Amino acid sequence: MADTFASLIEAFKNIGVSKAYGAPVQVGGEEVIPVALVSFGFGGGGEAGPDGASGGGGGGMVLPLGVYRNVGGQVSFRPNTVVALFCLVPVISVVGAAVRKAIRAAKA
């Protein structure tokens, strides 16, 4: 188990900004740099008793946030509207629920 954990540490030691920003790409005369939200996690277990049970797991996600574009020396960020709307749905739901409760409390 220790060898597996050590190999995971070695494999993910240099993950960070290099995974959130992609390599620059030329598209239609523009230079674009993709930007993503990268998240991952791992868990592990050890010997639990006489049966020697152990376990582990991991997972991750990547959300493409948008691109930085360079046109004629001007750099701007262009968001991925689908992902932005997807991320805003929970926020809008929570704000709506809070406003509804505030209105009910004000009426009482």
Side-chain angles (χ1 to χ4, degrees), residues 58-93:
M61 71 169 195
V62 177
L63 289 175
L65 298 178
V67 296
Y68 280 108
R69 35 185 273 191
N70 183 359
V71 182
Q74 295 289 340
V75 177
S76 63
F77 181 73
R78 184 153 187 202
N80 181 344
T81 54
V82 173
V83 171
L85 290 174
F86 179 75
C87 291
L88 284 176
V89 168
V91 173
I92 292 170
S93 298

Side-chain angles (χ1 to χ4, degrees), residues 25-32 70-72:
V25 179
Q26 292 290 331
V27 177
E30 298 180 2
E31 181 181 40
V32 296
N70 183 359
V71 182

Side-chain angles (χ1 to χ4, degrees), residues 4-50:
T4 304
F5 187 67
S7 66
L8 281 174
I9 290 173
E10 192 63 34
F12 292 101
K13 188 186 326 184
N14 297 322
I15 288 185
V17 174
S18 64
K19 297 301 178 197
Y21 295 94
V25 179
Q26 292 290 331
V27 177
E30 298 180 2
E31 181 181 40
V32 296
I33 301 172
V35 181
L37 174 66
V38 180
S39 177
F40 60 91
F42 295 96
E47 295 185 15

